[in-house]
Amino acid sequence: ISASVSSYNRSEILDPPVHLTFMKNPDVENGTNATCSFWDPTADNGFGDWSSRGCAIVNETEEGVVCECDHLTNFAILLDVSPKANETSVSVGITKTLEALSYIGAIISVFFLTLTI
Protein backbone atom coordinates (compact mmCIF):
# COMPACT_ATOMS: atom_id res chain seq x y z
CA ILE A 1 0.00 0.00 0.00
CA SER A 2 1.35 3.40 -0.85
CA ALA A 3 0.29 7.00 -1.07
CA SER A 4 1.75 10.07 -2.67
CA VAL A 5 1.57 13.80 -2.20
CA SER A 6 1.58 15.67 -5.49
CA SER A 7 3.39 18.73 -4.12
CA TYR A 8 6.14 16.69 -2.38
CA ASN A 9 9.61 17.20 -3.85
CA ARG A 10 11.63 13.97 -3.54
CA SER A 11 14.87 15.87 -4.08
CA GLU A 12 14.72 17.27 -0.55
CA ILE A 13 17.48 15.59 1.47
CA LEU A 14 16.55 14.44 4.97
CA ASP A 15 18.98 15.26 7.74
CA PRO A 16 19.22 13.00 9.64
CA PRO A 17 18.33 10.21 7.20
CA VAL A 18 15.48 7.85 7.93
CA HIS A 19 16.28 4.29 9.13
CA LEU A 20 14.10 1.46 7.78
CA THR A 21 14.13 -2.13 9.05
CA PHE A 22 13.05 -4.94 6.71
CA MET A 23 12.58 -8.52 7.87
CA LYS A 24 13.72 -11.27 5.47
CA ASN A 25 11.26 -13.99 4.53
CA PRO A 26 12.58 -17.23 6.11
CA ASP A 27 10.88 -19.28 3.37
CA VAL A 28 13.07 -17.72 0.64
CA GLU A 29 16.32 -19.60 0.18
CA ASN A 30 19.45 -18.10 -1.36
CA GLY A 31 18.40 -14.50 -0.59
CA THR A 32 21.76 -12.75 -0.92
CA ASN A 33 23.18 -9.44 -2.11
CA ALA A 34 20.60 -7.24 -0.41
CA THR A 35 20.12 -3.79 -1.91
CA CYS A 36 18.18 -0.98 -0.26
CA SER A 37 16.00 0.41 -3.02
CA PHE A 38 13.05 2.65 -3.74
CA TRP A 39 10.59 2.87 -6.61
CA ASP A 40 11.54 5.78 -8.86
CA PRO A 41 8.55 6.57 -11.11
CA THR A 42 10.64 8.90 -13.29
CA ALA A 43 13.23 6.25 -14.21
CA ASP A 44 13.21 4.27 -17.47
CA ASN A 45 11.58 7.04 -19.51
CA GLY A 46 8.69 7.42 -17.08
CA PHE A 47 7.89 3.71 -16.79
CA GLY A 48 9.56 3.53 -13.38
CA ASP A 49 12.29 1.29 -12.01
CA TRP A 50 14.00 0.42 -8.73
CA SER A 51 16.85 2.72 -7.68
CA SER A 52 19.25 2.70 -4.74
CA ARG A 53 20.24 6.37 -5.09
CA GLY A 54 20.42 7.95 -1.63
CA CYS A 55 20.04 4.62 0.23
CA ALA A 56 22.60 2.41 1.93
CA ILE A 57 22.68 -0.71 4.11
CA VAL A 58 23.46 0.10 7.74
CA ASN A 59 23.25 -3.45 9.10
CA GLU A 60 22.39 -6.88 7.68
CA THR A 61 21.69 -10.10 9.59
CA GLU A 62 20.12 -13.44 8.74
CA GLU A 63 16.78 -12.07 9.98
CA GLY A 64 16.70 -8.66 8.34
CA VAL A 65 18.27 -5.57 6.83
CA VAL A 66 18.45 -2.01 8.18
CA CYS A 67 18.57 0.67 5.49
CA GLU A 68 19.36 4.36 5.73
CA CYS A 69 17.81 6.67 3.13
CA ASP A 70 17.97 10.42 2.72
CA HIS A 71 14.47 10.84 1.26
CA LEU A 72 10.92 9.49 1.61
CA THR A 73 9.38 7.29 -1.09
CA ASN A 74 8.32 3.63 -1.46
CA PHE A 75 11.14 1.43 -0.14
CA ALA A 76 12.07 -2.24 -0.39
CA ILE A 77 15.07 -4.52 -0.19
CA LEU A 78 15.91 -6.40 -3.37
CA LEU A 79 17.51 -9.83 -2.95
CA ASP A 80 19.27 -12.10 -5.43
CA VAL A 81 17.47 -15.45 -5.22
CA SER A 82 19.43 -17.17 -7.99
CA PRO A 83 20.54 -20.75 -7.36
CA LYS A 84 23.94 -21.08 -5.75
CA ALA A 85 26.93 -21.84 -7.97
CA ASN A 86 27.55 -25.30 -6.50
CA GLU A 87 24.84 -27.12 -8.42
CA THR A 88 24.02 -30.68 -7.46
CA SER A 89 24.28 -33.53 -9.95
CA VAL A 90 20.46 -33.66 -10.07
CA SER A 91 20.14 -30.02 -11.11
CA VAL A 92 22.92 -30.46 -13.70
CA GLY A 93 21.07 -33.48 -15.12
CA ILE A 94 17.79 -31.54 -15.26
CA THR A 95 19.54 -28.63 -16.97
CA LYS A 96 21.06 -30.89 -19.64
CA THR A 97 17.68 -32.59 -20.23
CA LEU A 98 15.90 -29.26 -20.62
CA GLU A 99 18.63 -28.04 -22.96
CA ALA A 100 18.26 -31.15 -25.13
CA LEU A 101 14.46 -30.76 -25.22
CA SER A 102 14.88 -27.12 -26.26
CA TYR A 103 17.10 -28.10 -29.19
CA ILE A 104 14.69 -30.86 -30.25
CA GLY A 105 11.76 -28.41 -30.08
CA ALA A 106 13.66 -25.83 -32.14
CA ILE A 107 14.54 -28.42 -34.80
CA ILE A 108 10.91 -29.58 -35.03
CA SER A 109 9.75 -25.96 -35.30
CA VAL A 110 12.19 -25.19 -38.11
CA PHE A 111 11.17 -28.40 -39.95
CA PHE A 112 7.48 -27.54 -39.90
CA LEU A 113 8.21 -23.91 -40.75
CA THR A 114 9.98 -25.04 -43.92
CA LEU A 115 7.02 -27.29 -44.78
CA THR A 116 4.68 -24.33 -44.40
CA ILE A 117 6.73 -22.15 -46.73
Side-chain angles (χ1 to χ4, degrees), residues 15-30:
D15 188 26
V18 64
H19 284 85
L20 306 157
T21 302
F22 296 95
M23 302 307 293
K24 292 182 182 177
N25 185 344
D27 297 330
V28 176
E29 295 181 23
N30 304 331

Side-chain angles (χ1 to χ4, degrees), residues 1-107:
I1 298 175
S2 69
S4 62
V5 178
S6 61
S7 63
Y8 173 72
N9 183 0
R10 194 198 66 75
S11 64
E12 293 179 26
I13 305 297
L14 296 178
D15 188 26
V18 64
H19 284 85
L20 306 157
T21 302
F22 296 95
M23 302 307 293
K24 292 182 182 177
N25 185 344
D27 297 330
V28 176
E29 295 181 23
N30 304 331
T32 59
N33 299 329
T35 305
C36 295
S37 303
F38 70 96
W39 185 253
D40 184 356
T42 62
D44 195 19
N45 295 321
F47 289 105
D49 198 1
W50 292 104
S51 174
S52 59
R53 187 179 56 239
C55 295
I57 293 177
V58 176
N59 187 24
E60 181 175 4
T61 65
E62 290 292 320
E63 293 81 31
V65 176
V66 178
C67 298
E68 179 180 83
C69 296
D70 63 5
H71 57 278
L72 297 174
T73 54
N74 296 318
F75 297 101
I77 56 167
L78 303 181
L79 296 172
D80 181 2
V81 292
S82 302
K84 293 187 178 181
N86 56 353
E87 294 182 276
T88 64
S89 60
V90 174
S91 63
V92 170
I94 291 172
T95 302
K96 291 199 179 286
T97 302
L98 291 174
E99 187 176 310
L101 288 173
S102 297
Y103 283 119
I104 292 169
I107 290 168

